[in-house]
Amino acid sequence: MLHPLKKRAAVLLSISTVAAALAGPVTAAPAAPAPAAPAAVAALTWSGCATPRYPTLQCASLKVPLDHDHPAGRQISLALTRVPHTAKTSQGPLLVNPGGPGGSGRTLAGYIAAALPKDVAAQYDVIGFDPRGVGRSEPALDCGGGHFAPVRPDSVPLDPAVERANLDRVRTFAESCQAKHADVLPYIGTVSAARDLEVLRTALGAQRLSYFGYSYGTYLGAVYAKLHPDRVHRLVLDSVVDPDGVWYEDNLAQDRAFDARHKSFMAWVARYDATYRLGTDPARVEARWYEMREALRTAPAGGKVGPAELEDTYMPGGYYNGYWPALAEAFAAYAREQDPKPLVAAYERFGSVEPSAGNSYSVYTAVQCRDSAWPRDWNTWRADMWRTHAKAPFMTWNNGWYNAPCAFWPGEPLAAPDVTNTELPPALLFQATEDAATPYEGAVSMRGKLAGSALVQEAGGGNHGIALSGNKCLDEKLAAYLRTGTAADAVCPAQDEPKPTTATRAVPSSAGGAALHGLLGFRG
C-alpha cells in the first residue's frame, strides 16, 4: 500500500536488464462517475522492446482522456508492455500492476509471464502498464527533488523545532505539486486510473480482461471491477488493501503491523546470537536497535544516516525477510564495534532513493491525497501519531510524515467508492497472515465484499507480495485459477525464514521473492 520508492537494491537483482531496456484551481469530481460517451479508441501499435531475459517483450503507447467525463478533451498517454500469448486459444489480456500507488508496471509483464507455468502464460497476453502520471506515461509527475535527501529531521518530533521542520518539508512538497501540476492533479486518482483500464481493454479489442495486482494494485483492481464487473474474466489480488480504511486508517494499521514485524526481525537476530552477538533476548536486541537510533540523532553515520534514514533502511525488512541477514550484519557492526560503514552501505542499498522516486512519490501523494478525505487539522495527526507511537514506535512517525502532505493537499478529496460487488466471477485473493504493509484483516474485509471470492492464506508468512515469489503451494493455486477460473479457500505454509549470510553478497535472484520484491519496491 505504501508507495514503492525504488531503492538501489533493485539493481542488484536480475531484473536490471529489463529496467535498462525500458528506461527511457482544483475542483472535485465524483468518486465513481457515470461513464460519459466514450471517444473512439485507436488500436494499439506494438513494437519490439526485447531484452535478453524477455525476448518477446513488446511496447506501445495508449491515449486516454485526462478527464474521463470529457473524453474528447485533452489526452494523455500510458506506456505499455506486452508478452504475447503463444497458445492457439487465448484467454485474452492479463493486466499486471505492482502497487504503489506510483509503481511502474512495465517491467512486471516480463517477470509474470516468465514466472507462470509455460502453459498458463501461453494463454494470456500479459500486459504491463505505467498508470497515469507514472514513469514513461505522459505527463509524468515530479513535484520536486530533494524531499528525501539526507540528513532529514528526526521523524519523531521530540521538540517543537523538529516538528516545525518536518511540517515545513511536507507543506512545501504539497505546494510544489500544486505549482507544477495544477492542471492534472484533479485527475490523478484510483477511479481515473481504473477508467483508463477500460480504455485499454477497448484498445486491446478484448471483450473481457483479467487482472493481477499486488498491494495498492489490489485496490485499483477492485475499483475497476466495481465499475465494470461484466468486463472481468479473472481477478487476482495479492497482499490486499483494506478497502474500509482508504487511506488514513490503513496507514495507522500499517504502523502497528510494521512494529510487530520489526519485533519478529529482532527475535530472528536473537535466535542467531552466535552470528550477530547482540544477545539472545529479543527485547534486549530491540533495545540495542533503539540505542543505535538514539546515537544517530547526534552523530549520523557517514554524515548521511540519521534516525529517519535508519528507519528507511530497516523498513524494507518488513516487506521481505530475505533482507534480514544484510540488515542484521549492519546493525551488529554498528552496535558492537561502532563501525558505521556497513550501516551506510545498507542505507545506500535499501534506504537511499533513486532519482525516479521523485516521480513515484509524487504520484503516490497525488493519488492517496485525492482518493479520500484526510484530516486537515494537524492536531488530529499529532494526537493519532503519538497515540500509535506509544505502542508501535518503529515507523509510526516516519510513515506519518510520508503521508503528511495530504494534510495540506490542494482541493477537495473524493469519496472512496464502495467496492462491494455481487456481479463478478470468482476472484482469488492471496495474503500472508503476518504481512505488515497490508495487514491480514484487509484481505478478510475484501473477501467479504467480493461475492464468490476465495482467500489463499500463507500461514505464518510475513512477506508482502507472495504469489510467484517462490512458494510452490501458492503458485500452484494461482496457476490453477488462471487456467480454469475456479477459486477455493486454502492455506499454504510459509517459506522458511532466511539463514545468516554475508552482508556484502547481493541477494541472488533465485532466493525466494528477491526478484519480485525488486520489482514491487519497498513501499508497495
Side-chain angles (χ1 to χ4, degrees), residues 265 269 272-273 275-278 285 288-289 292 314 324-339 342-343:
F265 171 47
V269 173
Y272 291 101
D273 181 58
T275 300
Y276 302 116
R277 294 182 286 133
L278 290 169
V285 174
R288 295 187 72 172
W289 192 90
M292 174 173 66
Y314 280 81
W324 286 3
L327 294 171
E329 287 279 356
F331 173 22
Y334 187 93
R336 290 198 332 255
E337 302 164 17
Q338 292 73 55
D339 182 0
L343 189 60

Side-chain angles (χ1 to χ4, degrees), residues 26 141-145 147 166-182 185 361-362 364-366 369-370 376 381 401-411:
V26 178
L141 269 61
D142 192 342
C143 297
H147 186 70
N166 277 306
L167 281 170
D168 287 345
R169 285 180 63 250
V170 300
R171 186 185 291 108
T172 297
F173 187 85
E175 291 170 349
S176 176
C177 281
Q178 171 69 1
K180 292 187 174 186
H181 301 295
L185 286 185
Y361 179 66
S362 297
Y364 171 90
T365 51
C369 299
R370 177 69 167 148
R376 293 304 182 111
W381 290 70
W401 294 120
Y402 197 88
N403 291 281
C406 294
F408 308 100
W409 206 251

Side-chain angles (χ1 to χ4, degrees), residues 216-297:
Y216 163 78
T218 65
Y219 183 63
L220 175 59
V223 172
Y224 174 79
K226 179 67 173 183
L227 296 175
H228 301 285
D230 58 325
R231 297 302 187 181
V232 176
H233 179 56
R234 305 276 190 267
L235 180 64
V236 181
L237 309 180
D238 185 320
S239 303
V240 185
V241 164
D242 185 347
D244 292 327
V246 174
W247 290 112
Y248 185 73
E249 293 299 329
D250 277 351
N251 277 281
L252 291 173
Q254 273 190 334
D255 299 338
R256 297 184 289 269
F258 265 102
D259 197 81
R261 193 65 181 148
H262 187 62
K263 284 179 167 61
S264 295
F265 171 47
M266 298 292 100
W268 181 88
V269 173
R271 284 198 297 276
Y272 291 101
D273 181 58
T275 300
Y276 302 116
R277 294 182 286 133
L278 290 169
T280 59
D281 177 7
R284 178 55 190 150
V285 174
E286 184 180 21
R288 295 187 72 172
W289 192 90
Y290 283 102
E291 289 166 6
M292 174 173 66
R293 188 191 188 284
E294 180 64 21
L296 296 173
R297 291 181 66 232

Side-chain angles (χ1 to χ4, degrees), residues 18 22 46-60 80-86 106 109-114 121-122 124-127:
V18 183
L22 295 176
W46 296 95
S47 60
C49 56
T51 72
R53 182 171 292 275
Y54 307 125
T56 62
L57 196 68
Q58 301 172 341
C59 293
L80 313 174
T81 56
R82 178 178 74 168
V83 176
H85 75 278
T86 57
R106 289 176 298 120
Y111 177 86
I112 296 293
Y124 289 92
D125 294 314
V126 183
I127 310 289

Side-chain angles (χ1 to χ4, degrees), residues 453-481:
S453 63
L455 175 60
V456 179
Q457 304 176 37
E458 187 182 43
N463 290 339
H464 180 69
I466 55 175
L468 302 182
S469 67
N471 187 317
K472 182 180 178 182
C473 175
L474 298 173
D475 295 351
E476 288 175 347
K477 306 297 184 189
L478 172 64
Y481 171 76

Side-chain angles (χ1 to χ4, degrees), residues 44 46 56-62 78-85 90-98 104-113 116 121 123-131 196-197 200-201 203-206 208-213:
L44 294 167
W46 296 95
T56 62
L57 196 68
Q58 301 172 341
C59 293
S61 180
L62 171 70
L78 307 184
L80 313 174
T81 56
R82 178 178 74 168
V83 176
H85 75 278
S90 170
Q91 295 206 46
L94 173 63
L95 277 57
V96 297
N97 180 273
S104 169
R106 289 176 298 120
T107 57
L108 190 60
Y111 177 86
I112 296 293
L116 286 170
Q123 298 176 43
Y124 289 92
D125 294 314
V126 183
I127 310 289
F129 61 99
D130 283 356
D196 290 344
L197 301 187
L200 175 54
R201 181 197 61 78
L204 291 168
R208 293 188 295 168
L209 59 79
S210 298
Y211 180 92
F212 181 2

